[in-house]
Amino acid sequence: MTLSEETLLHISHLTKDYDGVPALKDVNLNIRKGEVVVVLGPSGCGKSTLLRCLNGLEHIQGGEIRLDGRSLTAGKTDWRLVRQKIGMVFQSYELFPHMTALDNILLGPLRVQKRPRAEANAAAETLLKRVGLYEKRNSFPRQLSGGQKQRIAIIRALMMNPEIMLFDEVTAALDPEMVREVLDVMLSLAGSGMTMVIVTHEMQFARAAADRVIFIDEGEIVEEALPEEFFTKPHTERAQKFLNIFQFEGHKPPPAYYL
């Protein structure tokens, strides 16, 4: 792949294994500023491992990752600083149970970025209003639904003003009604120009939100296409089989979610 001026994240010949068992094999990928890339594939294929490598949560065995032209894999990298630029939201929320929603959101900006409290608080309240959770700002995680907790987790990541957001199966543990709450926020982010890499099994959402679809199988990118092309005319037999299984098993939420 040729690195362009618009490229924000450049991944070259990335390899990762666990005790000698390959998890990612020679992964090459460019992500442009403002692009929404959806990563699909069967369970255990390396999707989540890829995101964790991009955020420095996994040590890689080979290859290079560059953010804005700067290598994250050559020499010593201060991943605490990098994670302010590469935000990540997990399936399990990771909220502190003894802190209110607002305090969870403010923790990073105040302790890590040393931002003035008044400024950070105003930004947090703006985001809470944007996702319809302002009235829940003083609630504790145990008082929130799964969808509400996930939206708080997204706001917490956005508060660090990241250049790119990674989403790892953020709706996998949610009931169908809560899935819509979270995906609506993600669609709004996509519309605002946020650069995003999303691992998901929500096929209709992927088709609506993605600028590009990456299909991974057994640690390798086996297909890369525009969403309409991927979902209507996948080129590889493996992708065809994957999509057929999802349709057969009913993994298809109502299209009205994404209209």
Side-chain angles (χ1 to χ4, degrees):
M1 292 183 179
T2 302
L3 204 61
S4 73
E5 291 182 359
E6 294 183 330
T7 297
L8 177 62
L9 194 64
H10 175 64
I11 304 155
S12 177
H13 303 294
L14 183 65
T15 60
K16 166 67 185 176
D17 65 61
Y18 295 103
D19 297 324
V21 178
L24 295 173
K25 309 171 188 175
D26 195 35
V27 171
N28 296 278
L29 181 64
N30 280 350
I31 297 167
R32 300 186 304 273
K33 292 181 180 179
E35 187 178 25
V36 178
V37 176
V38 171
V39 183
L40 302 177
S43 297
C45 72
K47 305 184 302 294
S48 295
T49 298
L50 174 61
L51 294 196
R52 292 176 64 84
C53 289
L54 299 182
N55 205 34
L57 296 174
E58 296 286 356
H59 175 72
I60 66 173
Q61 276 67 49
E64 185 177 42
I65 303 169
R66 286 182 172 269
L67 177 67
D68 270 338
R70 300 187 307 273
S71 177
L72 305 181
T73 47
K76 293 184 178 179
T77 297
D78 188 341
W79 283 102
R80 292 176 301 174
L81 295 177
V82 172
R83 290 183 190 121
Q84 294 179 47
K85 298 182 179 183
I86 305 179
M88 187 162 179
V89 183
F90 302 86
Q91 176 181 330
S92 55
Y93 324 127
E94 305 292 342
L95 298 179
F96 291 105
H98 62 287
M99 301 173 67
T100 65
L102 183 59
D103 287 339
N104 266 282
I105 292 168
L106 292 176
L107 187 62
L110 296 181
R111 291 195 181 181
V112 178
Q113 296 180 327
K114 308 298 182 184
R115 288 162 62 181
R117 176 173 285 274
E119 174 198 314
N121 195 76
E125 291 187 352
T126 297
L127 287 172
L128 283 164
K129 290 174 182 177
R130 179 178 172 183
V131 302
L133 288 179
Y134 181 74
E135 301 301 324
K136 297 290 186 179
R137 64 192 183 281
N138 294 319
S139 299
F140 289 90
R142 66 178 180 276
Q143 299 170 311
L144 302 174
S145 69
Q148 290 169 339
K149 284 186 280 192
Q150 197 58 282
R151 281 181 283 166
I152 293 296
I154 292 173
I155 293 175
R156 180 180 58 183
L158 289 174
M159 279 292 293
M160 305 301 283
N161 296 318
E163 295 183 35
I164 183 170
M165 288 280 289
L166 312 178
F167 295 88
D168 187 16
E169 301 272 19
V170 295
T171 61
L174 301 180
D175 293 333
E177 290 183 359
M178 297 177 186
V179 168
R180 181 176 180 177
E181 297 174 358
V182 175
L183 295 185
D184 280 348
V185 172
M186 294 170 67
L187 279 171
S188 176
L189 285 176
S192 72
M194 171 64 72
T195 308
M196 303 161 66
V197 183
I198 304 169
V199 170
T200 184
H201 284 306
E202 298 288 341
M203 296 295 109
Q204 289 291 335
F205 168 77
R207 189 169 182 171
D211 294 308
R212 188 161 39 122
V213 173
I214 305 297
F215 181 72
I216 295 181
D217 187 41
E218 295 184 354
E220 297 180 278
I221 294 178
V222 297
E223 189 156 346
E224 180 177 345
L226 298 175
E228 283 305 308
E229 181 182 351
F230 179 81
F231 285 105
T232 59
K233 297 178 181 178
H235 296 300
T236 62
E237 183 178 346
R238 184 65 187 90
Q240 293 170 12
K241 181 179 179 181
F242 174 81
L243 291 173
N244 287 338
I245 289 174
F246 263 85
Q247 292 172 357
F248 177 76
E249 293 182 352
H251 292 276
K252 195 172 183 179
Y257 274 22
Y258 313 108
L259 297 180

